[in-house]
Amino acid sequence: MTLLTPYWSLDILIVSSSLMITAYLFMTWKFKYWSRKGVMQITPTPFFGNFKNCILLKTSISEFIQDLYEKSEGLPFMGFYIFNKPFLLVRDLELVKHILVKDFNTFANKHASADSKNDRIGYSNLFIMKNPAWKYLRTSLTPIFTSGKLKKMFELMLIIGKNLEKHLELLNLDGNGKEIELKDLTASFTTDLIATTAFGLNMNSLKDPNTDFRVYGRWIFDYNIKRALDFFLIFFFPNLTKYLSIKFFGKATNSLRNIFWRVINQRIESNIKRNDLIDCLIELKEKHKNDENFEGFKFDGDDLVSQAAIFFTGGFETSSTTISFTLYELALNQDIQKTLRAEIHEALAQTDGKITYDMIMDLPYLDMVISETLRKYPPLGFLDRIALQDYKVPNFDLTIEKDTPIFIPMIGFHHDPKYFPNPEKYDPLRFSENVKKSRPSFVYMPFGEGPHICIGMRLGLLQSKLGIIEILKDYEVSPCEKTKIPMVLDPKGLTTTALGGLYLNIRKITIAAG
């Protein structure tokens, strides 16, 4: 080997310095991508891009997106970087409409992805799977959520609602009440709801917080450093997932595979029909057992069970978050809590104290309260897409190149005083019919918008409403010593999550309906 100098140590220093300089020059060249296109960009940090505080777990993803939104005020879009990769943040509402609806075929896929070979359960689920399988599967699963099916599901949900009533009674919340961690309580409730409605399973996680489903749910959303890194890479740098053995469902992957195949096989053997998600998956499995027309996707194996896994995950997490954040805000806003309880009691008086599907769907103030919660705390703070081909942006001198990730700052729109005056105030009246009509489209979309809108939105809202009614009709929530005011979000969380749990005092009220 030829030496550069007579000294090994000096050679090593020269080579190391050269490599560092080369890497720095490469990075800085990449970091001029948007400025060369005439697009405003935030000055990136070498190697980290604009993502340093998220990687160091100082800032949550939602706060990162909102910060970008605020820094790009007055602009239609803005460039930013994660590591050395250029991303585009879109603020112009007309362009948002094109991306999500009008030009959907160009942006049909999400940027997020798992490893297609080593994590099929993560890669193939409806939430992040790619076309053309996504479109067919979406169409096939949509009938599960018709009004007729939801009404039938609701009868099963009422059983879980009664379990919640019994559980709260056993906590002895009379007198001054007790300090309760709401997120885990509501997650146990929604875990039981999704288990019975989608899979025909009676879990009773409220009675035993260590049921299989509840444990797997904690594993998935246990926002430690490892899980934070998993989700960062899946959503922002998915090409690296195959090198790091990252799993979308984390260490719950094998357990979910085993339990859902057991449920599917038991249903096949029993030949019992419940018209739920499991029946739908079995029908798709049989219908497409010899079909190879979906670019490698099969309605069998991990590709099939992946749909059960994502419905379980999304079904319990988003609803429990909505319930717990709603109760948090009601605890801080007692007048709103009293107004909502009065509406609930009035409705129960009309049904002899019974909660019915029709009654739950006809509570306008409850609708406004939940809408305001989802504005302030959307489960996910952004929508992600990727350009499937070069795209000339309408009305702007910009072409988005193929494979460019696009981020739509949902959390930014939701907290923009131009659309929601005094955005930090919790005000359900923002969602009265008159106010909603005066607001532009595409500034409020907690479940997404366009063909990719959340397929389980109606079920999620139904679950959230039931949980809030079951608690508020008999109990009052108020702040306690552990209540964090203002709310502090977990910087490790991809989804909107309260740091250290969400504690409130729950006290049984002396006058209850029914």
Side-chain angles (χ1 to χ4, degrees):
M1 178 178 178
T2 302
L3 300 178
L4 299 175
T5 73
Y7 306 101
W8 277 99
S9 58
L10 186 56
D11 284 348
I12 293 173
L13 179 61
I14 292 172
V15 171
S16 298
S17 300
S18 298
L19 290 174
M20 290 179 66
I21 291 171
T22 300
Y24 178 80
L25 291 174
F26 175 75
M27 282 287 192
T28 52
W29 168 254
K30 294 283 286 186
F31 285 161
K32 294 178 181 178
Y33 177 86
W34 289 118
S35 60
R36 289 195 297 269
K37 282 181 165 288
V39 175
M40 183 268 196
Q41 65 177 49
I42 300 295
T43 303
T45 301
F47 304 105
F48 289 102
N50 301 112
F51 210 54
K52 182 177 180 179
N53 285 339
C54 287
I55 291 293
L56 297 179
L57 304 181
K58 294 181 178 180
T59 302
S60 70
I61 297 297
S62 288
E63 290 167 334
F64 168 69
I65 295 293
Q66 187 169 352
D67 182 60
L68 292 178
Y69 182 89
E70 292 170 356
K71 288 178 177 176
S72 59
E73 183 178 1
L75 298 172
F77 35 72
M78 182 189 74
F80 67 101
Y81 301 85
I82 295 181
F83 302 124
N84 69 332
K85 188 174 181 64
F87 288 64
L88 188 67
L89 186 89
V90 174
R91 290 186 46 139
D92 180 78
L93 295 181
E94 190 61 31
L95 181 52
V96 169
K97 184 177 182 179
H98 275 275
I99 291 169
L100 297 181
V101 181
K102 290 184 177 180
D103 297 319
F104 174 79
N105 289 336
T106 302
F107 302 96
N109 290 344
K110 295 185 177 182
H111 176 244
S113 185
D115 181 13
S116 62
K117 292 183 178 179
N118 299 315
D119 185 23
R120 289 298 299 187
I121 287 182
Y123 175 81
S124 301
N125 68 75
L126 186 64
F127 181 70
I128 60 175
M129 71 185 301
K130 315 303 179 189
N131 265 335
W134 170 83
K135 184 176 182 180
Y136 181 82
L137 187 60
R138 167 86 186 203
T139 303
S140 301
L141 294 177
T142 296
I144 295 175
F145 301 102
T146 62
S147 296
K149 291 284 181 67
L150 288 175
K151 280 188 177 182
K152 291 179 180 178
M153 288 182 190
F154 190 70
E155 296 305 311
L156 298 170
M157 293 169 66
L158 286 175
I159 297 173
I160 310 303
K162 287 296 180 183
N163 289 344
L164 178 58
E165 283 187 33
K166 294 174 184 175
H167 178 76
L168 292 172
E169 283 289 339
L170 291 173
L171 294 178
N172 298 317
L173 301 174
D174 297 294
N176 293 326
K178 290 182 181 178
E179 181 180 273
I180 303 290
E181 203 288 297
L182 263 295
K183 183 58 169 67
D184 198 55
L185 173 70
T186 57
S188 292
F189 170 66
T190 56
T191 294
D192 288 350
L193 284 175
I194 202 68
T196 189
T197 56
F199 309 116
L201 298 174
N202 182 17
M203 282 290 166
N204 207 348
S205 302
L206 286 163
K207 184 177 181 181
D208 177 8
N210 292 313
T211 59
D212 289 344
F213 268 15
R214 191 66 202 99
V215 170
Y216 303 156
R218 290 192 191 100
W219 286 351
I220 294 168
F221 292 101
D222 178 14
Y223 285 128
N224 53 35
I225 294 175
K226 170 66 168 60
R227 284 305 282 160
L229 180 61
D230 288 350
F231 283 126
F232 285 169
L233 294 179
I234 288 169
F235 278 81
F236 293 95
F237 229 81
N239 290 339
L240 292 181
T241 57
K242 60 184 176 183
Y243 302 112
L244 300 173
S245 299
I246 288 171
K247 299 287 193 291
F248 186 91
F249 297 104
K251 66 180 183 179
T253 298
N254 290 334
S255 299
L256 290 174
R257 177 189 291 114
N258 293 336
I259 196 170
F260 286 128
W261 269 120
R262 187 163 70 245
V263 172
I264 290 171
N265 289 331
Q266 286 174 350
R267 188 72 63 84
I268 292 173
E269 291 171 5
S270 68
N271 201 30
I272 295 174
K273 295 288 185 182
R274 298 182 77 254
N275 295 313
D276 57 9
L277 175 65
I278 295 299
D279 282 352
C280 187
L281 294 180
I282 292 170
E283 291 171 9
L284 289 172
K285 181 178 183 294
E286 181 62 26
K287 181 177 181 180
H288 297 286
K289 60 185 177 182
N290 298 315
D291 202 331
E292 298 286 347
N293 296 327
F294 296 104
E295 295 187 0
F297 179 89
K298 293 183 178 181
F299 289 92
D300 204 348
D302 278 358
D303 288 5
L304 187 73
V305 80
S306 176
Q307 314 319 318
I310 197 65
F311 271 81
F312 157 66
T313 303
F316 90 82
E317 173 65 12
T318 56
S319 295
S320 64
T321 298
T322 301
I323 297 171
S324 57
F325 277 128
T326 296
L327 294 173
Y328 170 83
E329 287 291 346
L330 294 178
L332 302 187
N333 298 274
Q334 290 290 321
D335 55 335
I336 297 174
Q337 181 179 164
K338 290 175 182 176
T339 301
L340 178 55
R341 184 179 294 107
E343 179 184 67
I344 292 170
H345 283 181
E346 183 178 347
L348 288 171
Q350 301 297 318
T351 60
D352 295 324
K354 296 178 181 178
I355 300 174
T356 68
Y357 178 84
D358 291 333
M359 165 233 161
I360 237 179
M361 299 303 290
D362 190 28
L363 295 174
Y365 195 68
L366 177 59
D367 283 338
M368 290 189 282
V369 165
I370 290 179
S371 295
E372 176 67 347
T373 297
L374 291 169
R375 177 197 69 82
K376 199 170 180 183
Y377 309 100
L380 196 63
F382 61 89
L383 302 176
D384 65 302
R385 300 290 186 268
I386 191 165
L388 300 178
Q389 61 194 43
D390 288 355
Y391 177 78
K392 172 63 175 65
V393 177
N395 305 316
F396 293 99
D397 185 21
L398 174 67
T399 295
I400 300 173
E401 294 184 354
K402 180 182 177 182
D403 295 330
T404 300
I406 310 295
F407 275 66
I408 295 170
M410 191 161 56
I411 189 74
F413 291 132
H414 285 195
H415 288 257
D416 191 330
K418 181 167 58 176
Y419 308 123
F420 301 97
N422 194 7
E424 295 309 310
K425 180 182 178 182
Y426 188 81
D427 182 9
L429 295 179
R430 300 179 198 276
F431 292 91
S432 64
E433 289 303 318
N434 288 338
V435 176
K436 284 195 297 184
K437 289 177 183 178
S438 66
R439 190 177 298 132
S441 301
F442 296 92
V443 298
Y444 178 74
M445 40 186 174
F447 295 99
E449 194 55 83
H452 261 301
I453 194 170
C454 177
I455 190 173
M457 174 181 67
R458 296 171 70 191
L459 176 60
L461 289 172
L462 190 59
Q463 291 184 148
S464 299
K465 290 178 179 181
L466 178 60
I468 292 167
I469 289 171
E470 288 285 11
I471 294 173
L472 277 192
K473 69 184 179 69
D474 297 318
Y475 297 90
E476 175 190 82
V477 291
S478 58
C480 62
E481 287 187 11
K482 287 188 178 180
T483 305
K484 294 181 180 177
I485 305 173
M487 172 62 63
V488 180
L489 299 181
D490 191 340
K492 300 186 296 299
L494 173 76
T495 55
T496 306
T497 305
L499 179 65
L502 202 160
Y503 291 85
L504 294 175
N505 189 78
I506 303 184
R507 180 184 70 86
K508 187 160 187 176
I509 53 180
T510 54
I511 301 175

